[in-house]
Amino acid sequence: MNVRVINRSENKLPAYETEASAGMDLRANLPEGAVTLKPLQRALIPTGLFIELPDGYEAQIRPRSGLAFKHGVTILNSPGTIDADYRGELKILLVNLSDADFVVKHGERVAQMIVAKHECVVWNEVEVINETVRGAGGYGHTGV
């Protein structure tokens, strides 16, 4: 799939790190200096990227497992959804869940993006929906 992109950063475009990767790494665009996230602090980290997805697709913004495991840094509102009609800069909502400061440096890989097809729903309002074995069971109804 070809996707139109504007890159207003000096970072390379998002790319798949391995042949079978589902996500492309997004990099922080911080040419004026690093951002320090104190414990429990959150910040919008710019990427310098603007994308034009085709209708019927979304970009999902997800945490990088290494940042989460090694530093306790993750993404709020995860996965974040970038709709096909959004034309603003992609920004990453990072949060530091650790007990130590974390410094986000220019060019650092801060998130991953997956582009996925989605369906649009047309609601068919009814009075009754079909029963299933599960029924209304949720929130741990099958055990610990």
Side-chain angles (χ1 to χ4, degrees):
M1 165 194 326
N2 291 315
V3 174
R4 293 168 54 105
V5 60
I6 296 171
N7 185 359
R8 293 202 177 130
S9 79
E10 58 191 39
N11 297 320
K12 63 182 180 176
L13 288 175
Y16 300 101
E17 294 295 320
T18 66
E19 187 175 308
S21 292
M24 297 174 272
D25 288 334
L26 298 175
R27 296 176 183 275
N29 183 37
L30 301 169
E32 291 156 20
V35 171
T36 299
L37 288 174
K38 299 207 171 296
L40 300 179
Q41 185 179 16
R42 61 189 179 271
L44 273 176
I45 305 298
T47 66
L49 299 172
F50 301 75
I51 63 174
E52 183 179 324
L53 292 173
D55 287 347
Y57 288 84
E58 66 162 329
Q60 299 173 6
I61 308 302
R62 300 181 181 186
R64 293 195 64 241
S65 59
L67 283 181
F69 177 69
K70 295 175 186 173
H71 303 285
V73 174
T74 190
I75 296 175
L76 289 176
N77 191 41
S78 177
T81 295
I82 308 298
D83 294 309
D85 58 353
Y86 177 69
R87 294 297 183 265
E89 180 179 10
L90 301 185
K91 294 184 179 180
I92 310 304
L93 182 53
L94 285 184
V95 63
N96 181 358
L97 298 177
S98 77
D99 58 0
D101 289 359
F102 180 77
V103 179
V104 183
K105 300 176 189 87
H106 178 65
E108 184 169 4
R109 296 180 297 160
V110 292
Q112 58 181 326
M113 178 174 67
I114 294 176
V115 175
K117 189 167 182 55
H118 70 83
E119 297 293 329
C120 288
V121 171
V122 176
W123 294 108
N124 182 15
E125 197 166 354
V126 298
E127 296 296 321
V128 178
I129 57 177
N130 295 324
E131 288 293 324
T132 66
V133 173
R134 179 178 182 166
Y139 295 103
H141 81 283
T142 60
V144 179

